[in-house]
């Protein structure tokens, strides 16, 4: 059930400059969401439900229009309204209310063969709907399309005159047009640069919203607050106190029917280059001059550019074989429908990164991701240095008693800071215990990442989106390991990845911190 309490998404306390100067935020009226790929999996699972909730919770105007776009010539307004009806949760709305909303605000336009005349027809349809509904020409073009279609669609939008911000008939009123692009943004550095160049020929960067849905997660946004609103942590956040950083993005899921995409992608492109790079940047960055999109981006880019080139000895790739997850037998990757029997696509990747900055010199960052891992968990573990002198040798090695901070991005969102304490009584005994906090215990519901991000698009806030520079810096970082020549080891589904991944840490005197159990 939706709750109305939390406004989704805005980094709490992080407001655009104008507001801090005492001016008020620009409010938004109704606008038109043109969802390319409006009949696809992402639209049905994420985009349409998020729009429905935002409207229901009063965050976007009741009159916002949705125009689904796909090639399907058999689809029309009536059939598309059924697609939307099935996609959204009722969230407590009566069937009558759902009908009233959908019948008046949802439309469909086929772009047939994607020819110029199809886009001209789309432009006319958008104008007609806006006219009919007496709605200002504020428009979002959301590309939830197969990535190979991005370039042609962007060009076609520009050719049809749909990429520019519309100016009112009196030339005074300025409206906005925004472009939202799903991941993957390119296949490698060259293709990302080419896509950026094409976008910049058709749109201004201020109109562009590249999605990395991890940035819409509350716990990812909280990294900035955690670091820069708490002097107790930030003063320890450097090479003098931190011994290593581990970042894990582990999934229990396999490829889930996305084999055609995943075979071309693999774990490095699917997760490390985007979600992984964002997590590294947020952990490693310096404090921005101000908490706004531009300054945060500058620091993130600087952090990514400070990472030393990855060498093959610091990389482990893996592919899952059959195994068991939560007592269920699951097939190996090569047995999944649509996967080649000899596929070398990696479903696991672990890298050791070194950051050449004054703050992080000499502190290894370990980043790993995998499908069909033992447990779904995304987390960051910061291990602090041992005490300079260990006075309790008879009670065990200092390794056992190192302080650590575990920031859990999902699923049990929260954090735990591990201390050692004296267990009461005699003989003297130390125990390591967590001081922890869980979102669920304090807040009722965390907003869905897509709700947060869509609302920010309407608000015109690019803070949680990936700028052109960032996406290129992230590709540059992983370029050395995209050439398909590295060995791929195997790991059983339901494990923590190949043995080589443990060896990677062991060589630095470290160990993956796999399990957290609340004491
Ligand atoms: P689907 O294959 O499920 O849907 C693709 C959609 O695009 C369909 O509506 C299809 O309809 C339409 N389409 C295909 N070609 C064209 C074209 N030339 N012009 C206009 N419409 C077209 O893909 P997904 O929804 O899974 O993925 C969409 C995008 O979202 C991809 O970039 C993907 O990487 C990204 N993404 C998806 C995630 C997911 O969980 N699904 C997660 C993260 C990102 P039709 O064939 O009728 O044209
Ligand atoms: C997507 C990847 O970007 O993120 C998927 O393409 C992956 O392969 C998904 O499953 C994970 O997202 P989340 O929010 O479940 O961690």
């Amino acid at each position: 059930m939706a709750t109305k309490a939390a406004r989704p998404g805005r980094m709490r306390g992080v407001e655009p400059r104008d507001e801090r100067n005492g001016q008020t935020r620009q409010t938004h009226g109704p606008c038109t969401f043109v969802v390319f790929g409006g009949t696809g999996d992402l639209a049905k699972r994420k985009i349409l439900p998020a729009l429905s909730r935002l409207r229901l919770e009063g965050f976007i105007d009741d009159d916002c229009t949705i125009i689904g776009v796909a090639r399907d010539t058999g689809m029309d307004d009536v059939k598309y309204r059924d697609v939307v009806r099935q996609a959204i949760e009722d969230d407590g709305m009566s069937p009558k209310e759902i009908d009233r909303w959908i019948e008046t605000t949802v439309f469909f336009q086929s772009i047939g063969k994607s020819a110029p005349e199809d886009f001209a027809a789309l432009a006319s349809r958008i104008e007609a709907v806006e006219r009919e509904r007496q709605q200002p020409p504020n428009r979002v073009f959301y590309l939830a399309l197969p990535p190979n279609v991005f370039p042609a669609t962007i060009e076609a939008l520009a050719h049809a005159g749909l990429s520019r911000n519309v100016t009112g008939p009196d030339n005074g009123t300025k409206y906005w047009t925004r472009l939202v692009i799903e991941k993957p943004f390119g296949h490698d550095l060259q293709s990302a640069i080419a896509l950026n160049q094409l976008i910049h020929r058709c749109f201004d960067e201020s109109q562009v919203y590249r999605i990395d849905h991890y940035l819409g997660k509350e716990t990812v946004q909280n990294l900035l607050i955690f670091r820069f609103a708490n002097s107790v942590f930030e003063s320890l956040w450097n090479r003098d106190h931190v011994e290593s950083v581990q970042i894990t993005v582990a999934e229990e899921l396999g490829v889930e029917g996305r084999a055609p995409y995943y075979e071309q992608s693999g774990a490095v492109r699917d997760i490390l280059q985007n979600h992984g790079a964002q997590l590294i940047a947020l952990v490693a960055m310096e404090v921005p001059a101000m908490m706004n999109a531009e300054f945060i981006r500058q620091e993130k880019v600087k952090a990514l550019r400070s990472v030393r080139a990855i060498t093959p000895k610091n990389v482990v790739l893996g592919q899952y074989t059959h195994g068991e997850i939560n007592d269920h037998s699951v097939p190996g990757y090569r047995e999944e429908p649509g996967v080649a029997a000899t596929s070398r696509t990696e479903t696991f990747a672990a890298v050791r990164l070194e950051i050449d900055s004054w703050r992080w010199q000499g502190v290894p960052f370990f980043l790993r991701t995998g499908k069909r891992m033992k447990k779904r968990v995304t987390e960051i573990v910061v291990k602090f240095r041992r005490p300079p002198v260990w006075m309790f040798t008879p009670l065990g090695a200092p390794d056992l008693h190192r302080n650590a901070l575990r920031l859990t991005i999902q699923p049990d969102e929260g954090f735990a800071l591990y201390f050692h304490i004296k267990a009461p009584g005699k003989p003297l005994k130390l125990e390591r215990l967590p001081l922890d906090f869980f979102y669920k215990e304090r807040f009722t519901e965390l907003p869905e990442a897509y709700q947060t991000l869509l609302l920010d698009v309407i608000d015109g806030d690019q803070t949680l989106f990936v700028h052109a520079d960032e996406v290129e810096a992230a590709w540059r970082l992983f370029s050395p390991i995209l050439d398909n020549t590295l060995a791929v080891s195997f790991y059983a589904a339901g494990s923590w990845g190949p043995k080589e991944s443990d060896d990677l840490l062991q060589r630095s005197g470290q160990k993956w911190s796999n399990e957290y159990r609340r004491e």
Side-chain angles (χ1 to χ4, degrees), residues 21 43 146 164 179 198 227 234 301 306 317 355 429 446:
N21 292 339
R164 59 188 168 78
L179 178 73
L198 169 66
R227 286 194 53 194
E234 191 49 22
V301 171
S306 306
L317 302 181
I355 303 184
K429 206 174 143 220
L446 291 177

Side-chain angles (χ1 to χ4, degrees), residues 435-494:
L435 185 65
D436 52 26
F437 153 78
F438 292 93
Y439 272 82
K440 278 188 196 116
E441 291 174 4
R442 174 68 184 80
F443 302 101
T444 44
E445 192 186 11
L446 291 177
E448 233 290 293
Y450 275 87
Q451 266 176 259
T452 301
L453 296 174
L454 284 169
L455 188 55
D456 280 358
V457 172
I458 303 176
D459 274 349
D461 184 347
Q462 290 177 309
T463 310
L464 301 181
F465 295 84
V466 186
H467 189 277
D469 291 355
E470 256 175 291
V471 81
E472 289 177 20
W475 277 119
R476 197 166 283 115
L477 174 57
F478 291 103
S479 288
I481 60 170
L482 294 177
D483 65 1
N484 233 358
T485 55
L486 296 174
V488 179
S489 311
F490 293 101
Y491 63 99

Side-chain angles (χ1 to χ4, degrees), residues 183 213-214 217 249 251 253 258 261-262 270-271 274-275 371 376 378 410:
K183 64 163 281 228
H213 78 277
Y214 261 55
K217 291 180 192 277
V249 182
E251 297 185 83
L253 294 177
R258 293 170 74 209
Y261 155 75
Y262 202 82
D270 189 45
I271 300 281
N274 36 77
H275 311 325
K371 290 213 179 270
R376 175 178 178 246
T378 298
Q410 61 187 25

